Amino acid sequence: MVSLTINGRQYAVDAEPDTPLLFVLRDTLGLTGTKYGCGIAQCGACTVHLDGQATRSCQVSLESVGDQVVTTIEAIEQDEIGRKVVEAWVALQVPQCGYCQSGQVMAATALLKQTPHPTDGDIAEAMTNLCRCGTYNAIAAAVRQAAA
Amino acid sequence: MHPLLPGASPSRRTFLTAIGGAFVLGAVLPVRLARAEAQGPAEGAGALAPKPGTRVAAFLEIHPDGTIKLLSPFVEGGQGIATGMAQIVGEELDVPPSRFVVECAPPGPDYAVVNGIRMTGGSFSTRSSYETMRRLGATARDLMIRAAAARLKVQDSELTTSDGVVLHAATGRALPYGELAADALKLKPNEAVPLRDPKNFRYIRQPVPRLDVRDKSTGRAVYAIDQKVDGMLYAAVQHAPRLGTEPTRLANEAEVKAMPGVHSIHRLPGAVAVAADSWWRARKAVEALKVEWSAAKPSGIDTVAADFSSETMLAALKASADPGHVAEEQGDVAGAFARAAKVVEADYEAPYLAHAQLEPPSSIARFEPDGTLDVWLPNQMPEVFQAVSAKVAGLPPAQVRIHSPMLGGFFGRHFTYEAGNPFPQAILLAKATGRPVKVLWSREEEFARDAVRPLSFSRFRAALDAAGQPTALEVRTVGEGPIGRYFSMMMQTPVDPSAVEGIVGKPYAVPNRRMTFTKIAHPVNIAFWRSVGHSMNDAFYESFLDEVAGAGGQDPFALRMALLGGSARHRTLLTTVAEMSGGWRRGPYEGEGGMRARGLAMASPFGSETATIAEVSVEGGEARVHNLWIAFDPGSIVNPAIVKAQVESAAVLGLSSVLFEQIVYRDGVRQSQNYDTYPVLRREHMPKVHVRIVESGAPMGGVGEPGLPGVPPAILNAIAALTGQRIRALPIANTKLSAA
């Protein structure tokens, strides 16, 4: 059994130590807001926060989580900045298919926590998640709005 | 003319024949059986099919709390159709769209509202069902009024409605729809109800917020991949490296069977599978399996042979001497070439493309105690998936329930593509294990089996007169399109419209034209891919038109304007896009950080019209696109915000494909396994996108796809203007660009 702190709750998980956190969240714990896209840290759909850092959970093994605090999209509105990000996403009607947007919101929230007023360069550096619907410009506009 | 276009009027019977003969794909039903099953039972309550889109109870559940559930004929996959349907029905029903919950309806004849068939594709949804869905809303409102009149013992004419409430102004009485719904649905619908005067629209033509954005911004939206049923096993697969080969031996079966959580190991058509108590365990196990596969044929293009490659396929298309069939012909082409002052010739080619939608495909199959089957699966055509599922399960279609969740992107990905879908595997595994099974393809297995946009080839020749004006155009297209593969029985001629669209039907008044199509089938699974034949053909045609302009010493904008002489609609669009970009200037000119140039293109996809200008520079041998200006005329619209978002989204896919994308076959195997080996557009390459909607009032056209086809040629033409390099083989990444 591995003990995890996720969204302020304690979980005991029974899985192989090399199981990616992504699949622990989705299949073992039923937290399906975090998405599987590529499994190789290319797309960012699986982005969660580990101690507040945006992290691609497909590359985090269960054994490596340790006592780091995990935050997923399910708890993002409990965070003040996360709530602002979500409101900006809604106000600017960012999502299309929406599949990448959990990861985008998590990446944006982590960015704004560290850099409350990001430049375009900061946004380009931090917001590297793929969006096949091409909502990149709407995402950047929403990040700016959430920062305002 | 697209054979599915409203107006081309294939009969329902024709379509059902197509289902039986082609779309259900050999693997399954004999033609006659398919037709009978798709039409429903021959006797009993289901025997008399309703006129699609008329039975209010099939579409609307009106709840006491004032919310409305709309069972939509269409699946939502990012295109905003759920919101659009709520706007259209809500406008006439007199209920704000925000009060709707929209779900994709189960299979059933009520939902065949796309010219007698049902599909979410071809940019058909809104334009084909707009009148029907308005009428449905108006009919439902009329039922509410009549139910209220009976309840209040007044005349219908004394009643009005407002936001889901029937009002009797004289007495101040008000009855919410939720209280009337049960009575209302017992009344005979009045088909002749008047529709609202468009002058008084409150929701149609407004940028109504999408119904799903909050759920999609908070992780609450549920896709196929998120679904779970009690007691289900998770399955992962390993596909044969070459399509068409089969597993012959598992060298380490016992070892893999002993891995943690493994339930069972299975051989499937063209694949092996492991069922386990979690997907990760299933995947680790199936990837540990040492599988021997049957041998592919050594050579040839009739199968995915051991030496099959994109190069050999392209060479076969180029080498064909078959004259093919005429797709478009006018005037005296031979005479015009005989008199030509100059002849221009060029070959154009485009690669196979993957859909690369972000949600990997999955399916759940569950056999019920009564022997019926439930399937949860991403799909764009529920009735066809029902028919194929039934065949795989050995059941009549009526015993298969299809659940169609929201799609994490589709772009044409979710039609039935033989080995290109996981649901047959889920059904076979559920049958074999006696448990519900969820099959999820890893991203790598998805890149291995996604059906692909066909590799394509066209040869162009133009005759120019002494003034540099094109007098004749001849185009030879060789290959295969998805309509010919999957809907061949709907085709009136041997010409596959999905192979030649974008080469035929162009608006330019070149007096002598001859376009032909020669079919050479691909051995791989081919697909519909956002804007289908237009995705490469407009790139070819509009690039070649710039070559013609260059050969004749003409400016590309001026030449197009001259060739559009007869069409005010197209001239308006061309003028609009020039104005949007600050006036036409081809360049090269000095821009921020270096030299830039602009390219122009027009396209007429899916009943809509576009004019596009791209601004490009070259950095480190690569194209950088800075701005895209798109003037878009779909005739008329329902939601301007969604239309603009869709045009931008389609433009990004066009940009991504022309810059980077290609599925390359070598030795019978695809060379892309994931996004690292199949690059798609990232933020760093995202230009500014400027979209203007021009409502010409022409019949309503499509929206989801038409933004795409103008983008690749506008970029290619800009590169030619900047560097002098005319790229005729896509994608651009295969060519090292010279400095401007």
Side-chain angles (χ1 to χ4, degrees):
Chain A
M1 285 288 182
V2 176
S3 175
L4 294 176
T5 307
I6 304 169
N7 300 337
R9 258 185 77 183
Q10 294 292 317
Y11 293 88
V13 174
D14 182 16
E16 283 74 63
D18 65 345
T19 307
L21 175 61
L22 169 63
F23 294 104
V24 171
L25 293 171
R26 288 185 52 81
D27 293 341
T28 311
L29 303 177
L31 296 170
T32 55
T34 304
K35 301 304 186 199
Y36 167 53
C38 69
I40 59 167
Q42 284 281 313
C43 76
C46 66
T47 303
V48 299
H49 294 176
L50 290 188
D51 284 345
Q53 297 281 334
T55 307
R56 295 186 173 181
S57 63
C58 70
Q59 299 302 302
V60 177
S61 65
L62 178 58
E63 65 187 339
S64 72
V65 178
D67 56 6
Q68 295 177 93
V69 169
V70 181
T71 307
T72 71
I73 187 72
E74 281 83 0
I76 202 64
E77 288 172 291
Q78 292 160 29
D79 179 275
E80 194 189 335
I81 292 170
R83 197 168 55 243
K84 280 175 79 173
V85 169
V86 168
E87 291 310 319
W89 248 244
V90 172
L92 297 188
Q93 299 276 297
V94 171
Q96 292 196 21
C97 93
Y99 193 78
C100 74
Q101 298 295 347
S102 294
Q104 306 278 7
V105 166
M106 296 307 288
T109 303
L111 166 64
L112 294 179
K113 278 172 169 292
Q114 278 152 25
T115 312
H117 300 288
T119 63
D120 288 353
D122 295 331
I123 293 173
E125 203 167 300
M127 300 298 295
T128 57
N129 295 6
L130 294 179
C131 174
R132 188 60 163 160
C133 301
T135 64
Y136 297 114
N137 290 346
I139 286 170
V143 171
R144 283 183 219 109
Q145 174 156 324
Chain B
M1 174 67 82
H2 202 292
L4 297 178
L5 203 69
S9 291
S11 68
R12 180 170 167 77
R13 175 167 298 270
T14 311
F15 173 69
L16 293 170
T17 307
I19 284 186
F23 209 77
V24 172
L25 301 169
V28 276
L29 306 171
V31 171
R32 213 179 326 137
L33 179 63
R35 188 185 302 165
E37 286 177 344
Q39 278 177 330
E43 54 191 34
L48 189 63
K51 187 177 165 204
T54 60
R55 215 161 53 83
V56 172
F59 289 85
L60 293 173
E61 285 176 22
I62 300 173
H63 298 158
D65 66 356
T67 60
I68 310 251
K69 188 204 259 186
L70 172 63
L71 290 168
S72 170
F74 306 108
V75 65
E76 175 62 55
Q79 78 280 44
I81 193 62
T83 305
M85 286 291 119
Q87 285 177 260
I88 296 166
V89 175
E91 183 71 66
E92 298 290 348
L93 181 58
D94 203 1
V95 173
S98 59
R99 250 187 259 157
F100 281 74
V101 173
V102 183
E103 288 179 8
C104 184
D110 284 298
Y111 308 108
V113 296
V114 180
N115 197 32
I117 68 168
R118 180 178 184 192
M119 65 185 295
T120 304
S123 297
F124 276 121
S125 302
T126 304
R127 59 175 161 144
S128 65
S129 69
Y130 178 71
E131 290 297 332
T132 303
M133 299 306 283
R134 276 183 75 192
R135 189 154 294 284
L136 182 87
T139 303
R141 176 176 172 271
D142 179 67
L143 293 175
M144 296 297 157
I145 288 175
R146 286 155 54 204
R151 183 90 59 92
L152 299 174
K153 301 190 169 49
V154 299
Q155 297 295 311
D156 298 357
S157 57
E158 296 173 51
L159 298 172
T160 56
T161 62
S162 176
D163 289 357
V165 177
V166 182
L167 300 169
H168 187 242
T171 59
R173 287 178 290 176
L175 284 171
Y177 288 0
E179 290 180 22
L180 295 165
D183 288 353
L185 289 177
K186 290 178 194 145
L187 301 172
K188 188 175 182 326
N190 175 6
E191 283 189 25
V193 302
L195 299 180
R196 184 177 284 269
D197 186 332
K199 286 203 301 285
N200 301 324
F201 280 168
R202 292 130 325 140
Y203 309 124
I204 293 174
R205 306 194 69 240
Q206 296 302 310
V208 168
R210 291 179 52 138
L211 301 177
D212 51 9
V213 289
R214 186 168 292 277
D215 281 352
K216 286 176 172 176
S217 305
T218 53
R220 288 196 289 266
V222 175
Y223 303 85
I225 198 173
D226 302 323
Q227 295 187 311
K228 195 170 185 171
V229 301
D230 286 345
M232 80 181 187
L233 291 165
Y234 293 84
V237 298
Q238 183 191 152
H239 285 110
R242 292 184 188 86
L243 183 70
T245 62
E246 299 295 337
T248 55
R249 183 167 169 268
L250 307 178
N252 59 344
E253 191 164 355
E255 202 178 299
V256 171
K257 183 79 173 53
M259 288 175 71
V262 170
H263 174 277
S264 47
I265 297 171
H266 304 265
R267 297 182 190 202
L268 295 170
V272 292
V274 171
D277 62 359
S278 85
W279 186 73
W280 183 251
R281 284 172 159 178
R283 182 184 179 180
K284 275 180 74 174
V286 83
E287 291 182 353
L289 268 179
K290 292 181 181 138
V291 189
E292 290 172 19
W293 303 93
S294 61
K297 275 173 75 171
S299 202
I301 61 160
D302 56 331
T303 67
V304 180
D307 71 348
F308 179 76
S309 70
S310 297
E311 279 175 34
T312 55
M313 190 69 213
L314 181 65
L317 301 186
K318 284 186 172 178
S320 168
D322 180 337
H325 301 273
V326 173
E328 182 175 302
E329 189 164 36
Q330 182 173 309
D332 173 17
V333 172
F337 274 100
R339 290 187 300 275
K342 198 169 193 178
V343 171
V344 185
E345 294 181 313
D347 287 359
Y348 280 84
E349 63 189 65
Y352 295 117
L353 296 180
H355 295 91
Q357 79 294 340
L358 255 286
E359 183 194 6
S362 63
S363 296
I364 299 174
R366 180 176 73 190
F367 285 93
E368 308 300 336
D370 65 0
T372 63
L373 173 67
D374 280 278
V375 192
W376 289 261
L377 78 180
N379 76 85
Q380 299 178 235
M381 223 167 172
E383 286 74 10
V384 173
F385 281 72
Q386 182 188 41
V388 180
S389 296
K391 183 62 189 174
V392 174
L395 292 171
Q399 291 182 25
V400 179
R401 281 170 299 276
I402 295 291
H403 307 269
S404 306
M406 190 176 275
L407 305 173
F410 59 120
F411 322 118
R413 173 65 184 93
H414 295 302
F415 290 105
T416 53
Y417 292 129
E418 297 181 314
N421 310 87
F423 71 95
Q425 299 173 342
I427 294 167
L428 292 173
L429 292 171
K431 215 169 189 179
T433 60
R435 300 262 299 269
V437 174
K438 177 182 189 172
V439 173
L440 165 62
W441 285 1
S442 68
R443 177 57 62 187
E444 289 78 7
E445 295 303 326
E446 166 65 346
F447 269 107
R449 278 299 177 277
D450 181 15
V452 289
R453 197 282 306 270
L455 176 148
S456 304
F457 168 73
S458 287
R459 175 164 289 161
F460 288 74
R461 278 181 84 217
L464 279 66
D465 64 18
Q469 203 64 19
T471 55
L473 180 62
E474 191 173 57
V475 189
R476 171 178 166 74
T477 298
V478 187
E480 186 190 15
I483 285 186
R485 174 79 66 101
Y486 302 116
F487 286 98
S488 62
M489 289 168 112
M490 296 189 70
M491 288 164 40
Q492 313 293 319
T493 77
V495 177
D496 182 339
S498 62
V500 297
E501 59 191 4
I503 285 173
V504 302
K506 297 292 286 188
Y508 305 115
V510 178
N512 305 293
R513 301 189 300 277
R514 188 167 195 274
M515 285 76 161
T516 61
F517 170 66
T518 299
K519 180 177 173 177
I520 292 187
H522 293 268
V524 308
N525 270 340
I526 60 169
F528 295 91
W529 192 96
R530 199 171 191 170
S531 81
V532 196
H534 289 283
S535 67
M536 67 286 177
N537 284 337
D538 284 291
F540 298 171
Y541 187 112
E542 293 285 319
S543 293
F544 186 69
L545 189 57
D546 262 39
E547 293 200 61
V548 169
Q554 302 208 54
D555 175 77
F557 184 92
L559 175 64
R560 282 179 178 77
M561 200 54 108
L563 292 174
L564 292 172
S567 171
R569 186 183 186 190
H570 292 98
R571 290 173 68 101
T572 299
L573 219 49
L574 200 51
T575 309
T576 302
V577 77
E579 183 231 306
M580 286 168 69
S581 62
W584 168 245
R585 62 189 298 216
R586 189 170 184 233
Y589 53 87
E590 192 70 47
E592 194 186 320
M595 297 302 285
R596 297 184 181 185
R598 296 184 185 182
L600 174 68
M602 301 192 77
S604 308
F606 306 94
S608 292
E609 298 290 341
T610 69
T612 304
I613 290 175
E615 182 188 46
V616 171
S617 69
V618 171
E619 290 171 24
E622 292 180 358
R624 301 290 304 197
V625 179
H626 300 276
N627 283 284
L628 291 171
W629 293 273
I630 303 172
F632 177 56
D633 176 8
S636 62
I637 60 163
V638 170
N639 185 320
I642 290 176
V643 170
K644 283 189 173 178
Q646 280 295 288
V647 172
E648 179 162 334
S649 168
V652 170
L653 214 58
L655 172 61
S656 181
S657 66
V658 77
L659 288 180
F660 311 116
E661 294 184 33
Q662 54 188 329
I663 288 282
V664 174
Y665 275 89
R666 200 170 298 143
D667 299 328
V669 177
R670 294 183 184 177
Q671 299 300 300
S672 300
Q673 294 87 36
N674 206 318
Y675 292 112
D676 54 346
T677 43
Y678 189 90
V680 302
L681 193 91
R682 293 171 179 274
R683 170 177 304 285
E684 66 199 81
H685 287 101
M686 184 70 192
K688 294 192 180 79
V689 182
H690 318 265
V691 178
R692 188 181 297 173
I693 299 168
V694 177
E695 286 189 86
S696 62
M700 190 183 276
V703 168
E705 297 168 273
L708 195 152
V711 170
I715 292 168
L716 294 166
N717 287 338
I719 289 171
L722 185 62
T723 69
Q725 286 168 286
R726 173 53 62 183
I727 295 172
R728 302 187 186 92
L730 302 183
I732 294 166
N734 291 353
T735 301
K736 171 119 175 103
L737 300 180
S738 54

